[in-house]
Amino acid sequence: MKVHIYRDKAQAGQASALLLAAKIIENPDCVLGMATGSTPLPTYESLVELYNQGIIDFGRVRTFNLDEYVGISRSHEQSYFRFMFDNLFSKINIKPENVAVPNPVSANLQDDCLSYDAAIKAAGGIDIQVLGIGNNGHIAFNEPGRTFTFATHIVELTENTIEANKRFFSSIDDVPKRAITMGIGSIMQAKEIVMIATGEAKAEAVKAMIDGQIDPQCPASILQLHPAVTVFLDEGAAALLSR
Ligand code: F6R
């Protein structure tokens, strides 16, 4: 893992966007793995800026999102589909047919999980995957547990995650309890990974991810086995690392 520590989240976002932009310049047909949540917002803002400056072009880029809540419509303010359009896709020239976010209201979620992984494979795999980390060490919605789950699957969200995400909903009862998520294998098959973590609330999870043992209790710790991970931190998220 290459670990870079920046002054604040804006700088970490800018730096991670530069790495993604370099990949897009190098390969205009690249396949990006996208994350939602508050962490990648500065990254997406910087990507939009680079696009507006004419430095990067999304005309041939394809994307796959990591995860989506189950049971809320795509137009719901908190759906990850809507998040991606509001914060990135509507601001760049990506083609709507080139973006994939798991379907939250599918009649057959199990089949959708299989076809999501098949679609990633058919696209040639993910060239570079953006990740955030939950304060419990989750990546995508792979929650701490006894084992790592390989493929895209349906997950029951932990109380910790429901609690952390309630800030986006009017009440905790409105937070969906299930999600569809890329599995650890789907993530580990990405050719390259950009992990972004900012804020002191992430410091413990970041320490476990980088300095801890590889353990499904901290799903992000599996990234120690990936050959090409670049971690972008701010001072807060890096606070507990032995340097
Ligand atoms: C979102 C995702 C989650 C988040 C994580 C951190 O697509 O996969 O794993 O990256 O929950 O969320 P924030 O950035 O809101 O702290």
Side-chain angles (χ1 to χ4, degrees):
M1 276 187 191
K2 291 181 213 145
V3 182
H4 299 283
I5 302 168
Y6 293 92
R7 189 183 56 222
D8 55 31
K9 63 180 180 185
Q11 244 190 16
Q14 220 177 339
S16 54
L18 288 174
L19 181 56
L20 294 167
K23 294 292 153 193
I24 297 168
I25 292 168
E26 195 177 60
N27 175 13
D29 295 293
C30 68
V31 179
L32 303 181
M34 314 305 285
T36 58
S38 39
T39 309
L41 285 173
T43 308
Y44 295 160
E45 267 167 39
S46 296
L47 285 177
V48 171
E49 234 171 85
L50 290 166
Y51 166 72
N52 287 334
Q53 291 163 357
I55 292 169
I56 47 174
D57 177 10
F58 289 85
R60 282 153 48 194
V61 168
R62 283 164 300 164
T63 64
F64 286 90
N65 261 76
L66 282 171
D67 45 15
E68 177 61 284
Y69 290 120
V70 165
I72 60 176
S73 78
R74 285 195 150 163
S75 56
H76 190 289
E77 265 197 335
Q78 296 306 330
S79 88
Y80 286 177
F81 184 84
R82 169 96 182 259
F83 174 99
M84 289 310 299
F85 274 87
D86 289 354
N87 293 294
L88 184 65
F89 296 157
S90 64
K91 301 179 176 179
I92 57 175
N93 67 331
I94 197 155
K95 295 196 178 90
E97 64 269 28
N98 283 350
V99 312
V101 181
N103 179 2
V105 288
S106 163
N108 199 333
L109 288 166
Q110 296 302 341
D111 281 358
D112 269 29
C113 291
L114 293 175
S115 52
Y116 204 68
D117 283 336
I120 293 172
K121 204 169 165 199
I126 290 171
D127 291 305
I128 185 157
Q129 174 69 57
V130 177
L131 291 179
I133 184 170
N135 45 27
N136 63 0
H138 75 208
I139 46 175
F141 274 131
N142 292 276
E143 300 283 23
R146 285 176 42 240
T147 54
F148 293 109
T149 304
F150 190 81
T152 294
H153 60 287
I154 307 296
V155 67
E156 304 288 330
L157 301 182
T158 62
E159 270 179 40
N160 178 303
T161 298
I162 293 169
E163 183 67 31
N165 289 359
K166 78 172 184 207
R167 66 192 194 274
F168 300 119
F169 292 83
S170 35
S171 89
I172 195 160
D173 295 334
D174 293 335
V175 185
K177 308 294 179 287
R178 289 196 305 160
I180 178 166
T181 181
M182 271 165 61
I184 292 294
S186 318
I187 294 169
M188 289 294 278
Q189 282 168 356
K191 293 171 194 111
E192 198 170 334
I193 289 177
V194 164
M195 157 60 77
I196 313 158
T198 52
E200 271 170 34
K202 300 291 172 68
E204 266 184 40
V206 165
K207 186 179 171 51
M209 167 178 75
I210 295 174
D211 288 341
Q213 296 212 344
I214 298 169
D215 184 338
Q217 284 301 330
C218 175
S221 62
I222 194 83
L223 298 177
Q224 292 174 29
L225 296 179
H226 193 285
V229 181
T230 309
V231 184
F232 294 89
L233 305 174
D234 68 355
E235 290 287 348
L240 298 176
L241 290 181
S242 47
R243 299 199 203 176

